[in-house]
Amino acid sequence: MVALVLPRLVNPAAARRSASVAERNFTALRSAYWLVLLSGFLEPVLYLFSIGVGVGALVGDLTLTGGQVVSYAAFVAPAMLASSAMSGALSETTFNFFGKMKYMKLYDGVIATPVQPFEIALGELGWAMVRGGLYSAAFLVLMVGMDLTTAGRALAAFPAAALVGFAFGALGMTVSTLMRSWQDFDLMGSAQFTLFLFSGTFVPAEAYPSVLRWVVELTPLYRSVHLIRGICVGGSGWSWLVDVAYLVALTVGMLALASRRMSRLLYK
């Protein structure tokens, strides 16, 4: 699967065609898109202030597995950043992507040009990352302003948040190709909210029973939270390699699967 994806990722012609897909989205949505971006940014901020700061006043400091002692707000903030990157990417690559593919029939016209399904998927993923990247950058500025991390760590956390967005964006597109109607997205919304609650976002994974802990640590959002939290509050860099490898493998695998599913749906 990797052998099929990587040559197309480094193909300049394919990259230009993918960029044209993202450019089309920007041209079509730029007029009122800032309202959508603002609403998506406010949700993790409200969680940070209500739970991270509000409940944190009752919880006090936490001691992480590496021995670092951090405030509860500093513990929650990286999880909100990871969740924001996930939500921004999924919003673009699920509801919007599904509507354009199944109801607007946009991609039926696109494949009449030299653009291939894989390039459509890559272009849509790139567009999703514009939204996710804006969320992440704004939230990191807020974290630095609240003294929840340092400016240097925030700069290092930004590409990690981008990787999270790529992984969930590719996953979202694959899920969208399996959906039959809008009602199916209710199940996806439930799964997304479950991940949000049980991925080490508000309590350490060590607090769960051992069996549940292993399940939690296998989820993509937990790996994302673990990576970004490690960068923002400090810790061993070796454990981050597992997180990065997990998210890269998820991105490549889901991108390949999404393009294959799109080919079946568009050329049937």
Side-chain angles (χ1 to χ4, degrees):
M1 189 173 291
V2 175
L4 295 174
V5 172
L6 291 182
R8 288 183 283 183
L9 288 176
V10 298
N11 186 325
R16 286 194 299 270
R17 291 192 289 266
S18 297
S20 67
V21 174
E23 183 181 0
R24 176 265 164 205
N25 290 336
F26 175 76
T27 303
L29 298 173
R30 62 183 174 181
S31 58
Y33 200 62
W34 67 272
L35 290 172
V36 178
L37 292 175
L38 182 61
S39 64
F41 169 70
L42 287 177
E43 182 179 355
V45 172
L46 293 176
Y47 273 112
L48 174 61
F49 279 97
S50 62
I51 298 179
V53 177
V55 177
L58 303 175
V59 174
D61 294 339
L62 291 178
T63 302
L64 304 182
T65 54
Q68 306 95 326
V69 178
V70 299
S71 68
Y72 189 67
F75 176 83
V76 169
M80 294 302 99
L81 174 58
S83 299
S84 177
M86 173 188 72
S87 299
L90 286 180
S91 296
E92 285 293 340
T93 58
T94 52
F95 300 104
N96 295 344
F97 179 80
F98 180 77
K100 287 185 281 189
M101 181 173 62
K102 188 171 180 67
Y103 292 99
M104 295 172 61
K105 302 296 183 182
L106 176 67
Y107 303 135
D108 292 59
V110 173
I111 60 173
T113 71
V115 180
Q116 299 299 310
F118 176 82
E119 295 157 358
I120 294 174
L122 191 59
E124 291 290 354
L125 185 57
W127 171 245
M129 288 315 304
V130 172
R131 180 171 177 174
L134 289 173
Y135 287 172
S136 299
F139 197 82
L140 282 166
V141 170
L142 178 65
M143 287 177 62
V144 173
M146 294 178 63
D147 199 27
L148 300 177
T149 190
T150 65
R153 291 186 181 277
L155 288 174
F158 183 76
L163 177 58
V164 172
F166 274 116
F168 277 100
L171 178 61
M173 278 192 291
T174 301
V175 170
S176 295
T177 62
L178 299 171
M179 295 295 181
R180 298 161 298 176
S181 66
W182 293 113
Q183 286 70 31
D184 291 341
F185 282 99
D186 292 340
L187 297 174
M188 193 209 75
S190 299
Q192 183 178 344
F193 191 63
T194 301
L195 282 178
F196 175 69
L197 292 178
F198 297 100
S199 294
T201 45
F202 301 111
V203 295
E206 295 78 14
Y208 296 119
S210 57
V211 175
L212 182 57
R213 174 187 172 184
W214 285 109
V215 173
V216 166
E217 292 184 350
L218 289 175
T219 62
L221 184 57
Y222 173 82
R223 303 316 323 176
S224 305
V225 171
H226 186 265
L227 173 63
I228 295 178
R229 182 174 286 147
I231 295 173
C232 289
V233 303
S236 173
W238 291 107
S239 62
W240 304 346
L241 296 178
V242 177
D243 303 324
V244 171
Y246 180 106
L247 294 172
V248 169
L250 182 64
T251 302
V252 173
M254 290 297 103
L255 188 59
L257 184 56
S259 63
R260 183 179 301 176
R261 288 282 306 161
M262 286 180 66
S263 296
R264 292 179 181 176
L265 293 171
L266 294 175
Y267 290 121
K268 64 179 180 180

